[in-house]
């Protein structure tokens, strides 16, 4: 997380350079770790930009090394998926989205994905399908999330303590419609639905045929 790549934005480590960057930014704010808890670490870096100018840049890192996980639940072998209506504190609003969460240290992505489904939907995943990774906000967040699809037999007890009020079963095509209409705005959900389509998990409908 502190590697400098040639041609990129350089993190300054020398105290003299750091003070020069703070002066250039007109700030007396501290540089380094400015906040940390068991979930996130917020870092304010003194940097040299590619044009040679100096300044400060804030980024947020996961507290551990384990990536987050995002899981698209698939109902059996059909074309239906399950989304949850989840209240998000950051936006102060309800969002229709897939189950997701931070990874636990010492567990691999598949184990974390299975755990998230058990916690949020109260169900054990069957087949688990990897759909790659995603950086949710490459301008601010240093971590990434692993994307999965998982076949489940149904929906169990929801994790209402976390702000989930209902599970919604719908055709995959309906989820794509809601994304296109702007009714699904969660970036992780848009990413995993898109990857599932591109991976061929759902056949294209007649309206998608351009031949």
């Amino acid at each position: 997380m502190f590697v400098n790549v040639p041609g990129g934005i350089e993190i300054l480590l020398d105290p003299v350079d750091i003070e020069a960057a703070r002066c250039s930014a007109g700030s007396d704010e501290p540089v380094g770790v400015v906040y940390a808890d068991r979930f996130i670490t917020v870092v304010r870096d003194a940097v040299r930009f590619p044009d040679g100018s100096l300044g400060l840049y804030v980024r947020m890192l996961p507290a551990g090394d384990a990536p987050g996980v995002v899981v698209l639940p698939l109902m059996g072998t059909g074309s239906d998926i399950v989304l949850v209506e989840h209240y998000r504190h950051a936006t102060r609003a309800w969002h229709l989205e897939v189950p997701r969460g931070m990874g636990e240290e010492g567990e691999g992505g598949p184990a974390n994905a299975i755990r998230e489904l058990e916690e949020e939907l109260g169900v054990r995943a069957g087949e688990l399908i990897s759909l790659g990774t995603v950086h949710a906000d490459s301008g601010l967040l240093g971590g990434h999330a692993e994307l999965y699809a998982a076949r489940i037999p149904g929906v169990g007890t929801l994790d209402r303590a976390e702000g989930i009020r209902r599970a919604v079963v719908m055709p995959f095509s309906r989820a794509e419609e809601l994304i296109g209409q702007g009714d699904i705005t969660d970036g992780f959900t848009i990413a995993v639905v898109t990857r599932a389509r591109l991976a061929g998990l759902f056949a294209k409908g007649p309206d998608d045929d351009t031949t």
Side-chain angles (χ1 to χ4, degrees):
M1 287 288 98
F2 291 87
V3 171
N4 284 322
V5 177
I9 298 173
E10 179 188 0
I11 297 175
L12 304 174
L13 301 176
D14 185 276
V16 174
D17 292 338
I18 292 173
E19 188 58 32
R22 292 174 64 195
C23 290
S24 180
S27 172
D28 59 359
E29 296 291 339
V31 169
V33 175
V34 296
Y35 175 81
D37 60 23
R38 66 190 182 98
F39 299 111
I40 62 169
T41 298
V42 178
V43 180
R44 182 181 292 110
D45 294 307
V47 300
R48 179 180 289 108
F49 294 98
D51 66 357
S53 61
L54 303 180
L56 303 178
Y57 216 141
V58 173
R59 57 193 172 127
M60 189 165 66
L61 310 175
D65 293 332
V69 290
V70 180
V71 190
L72 177 64
L74 315 176
M75 289 290 284
T77 59
S79 60
D80 286 347
I81 67 171
V82 182
L83 301 180
V84 294
E85 197 170 30
H86 202 147
Y87 189 81
R88 291 298 183 180
H89 174 65
T91 61
R92 306 302 296 161
W94 290 97
H95 294 269
L96 199 58
E97 58 186 49
V98 294
R100 72 171 193 264
M102 295 182 174
E104 293 285 345
E105 291 297 318
E107 293 185 2
N112 280 316
I114 290 170
R115 176 179 47 77
E116 280 301 323
L117 281 179
E118 291 178 339
E119 290 178 358
E120 294 197 14
L121 290 181
V123 65
R124 180 77 177 180
E127 180 187 9
L128 200 65
I129 304 164
S130 175
L131 295 173
T133 62
V134 66
H135 290 88
D137 183 350
S138 58
L140 175 64
L141 306 179
H144 69 279
E146 296 183 358
L147 306 178
Y148 295 91
R151 300 199 183 278
I152 61 174
V155 176
T157 302
L158 304 180
D159 187 1
R160 300 190 183 278
E162 196 170 305
I164 298 173
R165 68 179 175 187
R166 65 181 179 129
V168 183
V169 180
M170 67 177 68
F172 181 82
S173 59
R174 178 56 179 160
E176 290 186 311
E177 288 177 5
L178 293 175
I179 290 173
Q181 294 168 191
D183 294 319
I184 291 178
T185 61
D186 172 59
F188 288 111
T189 301
I190 294 171
V192 76
V193 166
T194 300
R195 288 283 183 86
R197 166 69 87 180
L198 295 175
L201 296 185
F202 298 91
K204 290 185 177 182
D207 293 340
D208 297 320
D209 190 0
T210 57
T211 60

